[in-house]
Amino acid sequence: MSIDVYRNLINQICEHAQIPDPRALYDKAELDIGGTQFLLRHGGEQAPHIVNIYCGLGPLPAESRELVLQRLLETNLLLAGSGHNATFGYNTEIKQVVLYCMLPLDQSSGMLTLAMLRHFAAVAEQWRTTYFLDEKDTSNDKGGKTAQGARSRLDAQLRQSGNGAESSPA
């Protein structure tokens, strides 16, 4: 049964991350990994063989907001071409940018899922530090033009994580 597979995944994540009482996380697993908040939920009746993963990145900045939103759209395109189903969105309830991913339960283990969460935590830290922009982006933002620097850096990071971004159309 898929709920048992999901619960086993939560047990494994908690074991590897040294989190006590995994049973308390079965319904709604709220985790702090590397200072980043995650929410893991079973797909329920609609998607019984998946786990939904939400990673809170933080609020949108007031400065260079249009460029930041454009960069998020560019990044979503890179991710779409990578063969993975991670995507960025905006949660109006918590007023934060969120990285969302559906993970098939039959392709997951606690150790691999925890490694993915740690990678997402690093992405979240990059977001909180740079909003995926570099100095050229903010200095070229006068007319809404985008610079290539941060996109190239993000391309390199996606390639390094092995998600196939090198074949991306972007």
Side-chain angles (χ1 to χ4, degrees):
M1 182 185 261
S2 69
I3 192 70
D4 294 330
V5 176
Y6 168 76
R7 289 177 178 163
N8 187 46
L9 177 65
I10 296 298
N11 291 340
Q12 290 175 24
I13 291 169
C14 289
E15 179 183 336
H16 293 298
Q18 301 177 342
I19 299 171
D21 194 19
R23 291 180 187 180
L25 303 176
Y26 285 170
D27 182 46
K28 183 169 86 171
E30 293 179 339
L31 305 172
D32 182 307
I33 306 292
T36 298
Q37 299 300 310
F38 290 89
L39 172 65
L40 282 67
R41 293 196 95 157
H42 182 257
E45 290 182 19
Q46 266 58 35
H49 301 292
I50 66 154
V51 57
N52 295 296
I53 300 174
Y54 302 88
C55 171
L57 275 68
L60 285 168
E63 194 172 308
S64 301
R65 191 176 186 106
E66 183 177 334
L67 184 58
V68 168
L69 290 169
Q70 181 177 337
R71 185 54 43 84
L72 284 175
L73 289 172
E74 292 169 352
T75 306
N76 273 340
L77 183 59
L78 284 172
L79 291 172
S82 72
H84 293 274
N85 60 9
T87 188
F88 292 97
Y90 185 75
N91 183 320
T92 57
E93 289 178 26
I94 62 173
K95 297 186 183 340
Q96 283 195 25
V97 173
V98 175
L99 178 57
Y100 168 76
C101 180
M102 284 189 318
L103 187 64
L105 285 169
D106 63 350
Q107 297 175 15
S108 56
S109 71
M111 188 173 289
L112 290 174
T113 304
L114 185 57
M116 183 181 71
L117 296 179
R118 288 180 174 143
H119 175 73
F120 284 177
V123 170
E125 180 60 30
Q126 183 181 5
W127 164 263
R128 290 188 291 267
T129 304
T130 68
Y131 301 107
F132 303 149
L133 303 176
D134 61 18
E135 289 180 29
K136 291 191 304 187
D137 289 323
T138 54
S139 65
N140 287 342
D141 194 24
K142 308 289 187 261
K145 298 178 183 175
T146 113
Q148 298 297 318
R151 183 172 27 204
S152 298
R153 190 174 65 238
L154 187 58
D155 284 341
Q157 182 181 7
L158 291 171
R159 275 190 223 98
Q160 185 179 38
S161 69
N163 74 358
E166 58 273 355
S167 62
S168 165

